[in-house]
Amino acid sequence: MSLDLPLLWAVVIAIGVLMYVMLDGFDLGIGILFPFADTAADRDVMMATVAPVWDGNETWLVLGGTALLAAFPFAFSALLPALYPPILLMLLALILRGVAFEFRLNGRRRGKAFWTAAFAGASLTATVAQGLVLGGFIQGVKLRDRQFAGGVFDWLTLYSLLVALGLVAGYALLGACWLIWRTEDELHGRARRWAWIALLAVAALLAIVSVATLFVHPRVALRWGYAAGQFHPAQLARLSPIPLLGAAGFVMTALGLRRRSHGWPFAGALLMFLSGYLGLAAGFFPYIVPYHMTFRQAANADNALALLLALGGILLPIVIGYGLWSYWIFRGKVGADADYH
């Protein structure tokens, strides 16, 4: 029995993107929450909680992008021209964020204030850009002969802006719940208040975006049981575990916050993200370029995919093992005396 290499690589890339969203999401959320911290010392602690792992978190973005280029070159050549502006904005913001992360430590009074603002602004900008990419992707890409045939700003719509706003709230929730897990004392208490606000915002925006998505493209609505103004409950029932998972994540987060748990709010927030991600995948699968090119149509030759699988079999365990080791070594609470270098 031979491996279904296109499907296998589609799953690998999907998991890589999910890992990036959930892991880099919380440290981007730290930057989004930066302006709300009371003191520079609190911001130092916030950065210290992610300092050992944030570089590793972004590895998944590199993995997803390079795997897409190598395994699905036709999808890469169609998607990149359609989304160039927000992708370039995201990359520039991530570069600035990395520079600000390092320079903030050694800046003097004015310099430190500048790099603090740069870190917060770059985190927010990168998140908004990712939301615009996601919104533009869900809306679909215009193709002609497997090449992008749309306009430069097709991705910029009210829907994509709404998705970007939802992603900002979601990353802020992840960041706040991470701080609940990793900090103590007054910062811990403030993180709980941030998490409550972000949780309510995420719940509201997730509901709005979910409904709006049904109107963005008829195929998504059909997949979820809505077609031509008619509701098909059997189709919705087949996908009902996905929204139920999101509801369970919401309840877990809310109860964890109410009972002053340290770890459960973060676990619940991750479940909410997983539910949203699975819901999107259920809406456009098997399309890798919605809604014109499936992952099989976009795949590289089987011999190329087999070679990539051999390389991935070496690299992926290293990436996963190093990530798990880093999180284990730097586990526990981060106090006010922490030094992230």
Side-chain angles (χ1 to χ4, degrees):
M1 181 179 178
S2 60
L3 290 173
D4 188 341
L5 292 174
L7 178 60
L8 178 61
W9 273 106
V11 171
V12 169
I13 292 174
I15 292 174
V17 173
L18 175 63
M19 292 296 292
Y20 171 76
V21 168
M22 292 199 300
L23 296 181
D24 204 38
F26 72 75
D27 61 57
L28 283 168
I30 297 295
I32 292 170
L33 294 171
F34 239 44
F36 304 102
D38 281 356
T39 65
D42 281 349
R43 286 186 281 271
D44 288 343
V45 174
M46 292 166 72
M47 294 189 87
T49 65
V50 297
V53 297
W54 75 278
D55 273 331
N57 292 343
E58 292 188 348
T59 302
W60 293 100
L61 178 63
V62 178
L63 172 67
T66 54
L68 180 65
L69 171 61
F72 301 100
F74 299 108
F76 188 90
S77 65
L79 287 172
L80 264 290
L83 300 168
Y84 266 140
I87 288 175
L88 289 176
L89 180 63
M90 176 191 71
L91 293 176
L92 290 173
L94 290 176
I95 292 170
L96 175 60
R97 179 172 170 268
V99 172
F101 196 105
E102 300 298 333
F103 278 33
R104 182 180 177 274
L105 174 68
N106 298 308
R108 297 180 181 178
R109 184 174 180 181
R110 290 184 180 179
K112 190 166 186 176
F114 172 80
W115 291 116
T116 294
F119 181 75
S123 298
L124 179 61
T125 301
T127 303
V128 170
Q130 289 178 17
L132 294 174
V133 169
L134 177 59
F137 179 82
I138 297 170
Q139 290 170 173
V141 175
K142 297 177 183 177
L143 297 184
R144 186 180 299 116
D145 297 327
R146 297 206 294 188
Q147 298 296 318
F148 176 61
V152 177
F153 295 103
D154 284 359
W155 50 270
L156 185 57
T157 64
L158 180 61
Y159 175 79
S160 64
L161 290 171
L162 188 62
V163 172
L165 183 60
L167 195 61
V168 169
Y171 281 0
L173 175 63
L174 284 177
C177 291
W178 172 261
L179 291 175
I180 291 170
W181 187 20
R182 298 299 307 277
T183 64
E184 50 195 1
D185 302 327
E186 294 181 5
L187 180 57
H188 176 92
R190 280 191 289 273
R192 287 191 179 277
R193 292 193 291 273
W194 296 338
W196 272 118
I197 295 171
L199 178 62
L200 296 177
V202 167
L205 287 166
L206 184 60
I208 294 170
V209 170
S210 297
V211 173
T213 303
L214 299 178
F215 295 94
V216 167
H217 205 288
R219 295 192 186 189
V220 178
L222 179 61
R223 190 69 60 88
W224 283 92
Y226 297 91
Q230 296 182 344
F231 172 55
H232 304 277
Q235 180 67 13
L236 180 61
R238 282 193 288 269
L239 297 177
S240 60
I242 296 175
L244 289 176
L245 180 66
F250 176 85
V251 171
M252 184 184 299
T253 305
L255 286 179
L257 291 173
R258 184 174 181 180
R259 296 177 180 177
R260 308 194 69 78
S261 168
H262 288 238
W264 284 111
F266 187 63
L270 291 177
L271 274 185
M272 293 177 69
F273 263 82
L274 177 61
S275 171
Y277 190 80
L278 292 175
L280 290 175
F284 61 75
F285 186 83
Y287 293 99
I288 196 169
V289 182
Y291 299 86
H292 299 283
M293 190 186 298
T294 67
F295 70 91
R296 297 191 188 281
Q297 294 170 332
N300 211 332
D302 278 356
N303 57 350
L305 294 178
L307 176 61
L308 291 171
L309 183 61
L311 295 174
I314 298 172
L315 293 177
L316 275 175
I318 295 174
V319 172
I320 294 171
Y322 176 77
L324 291 173
W325 179 79
S326 297
Y327 278 92
W328 174 255
I329 290 296
F330 295 101
R331 67 191 182 277
K333 294 288 186 179
V334 177
D337 57 344
D339 182 356
Y340 60 81
H341 284 67

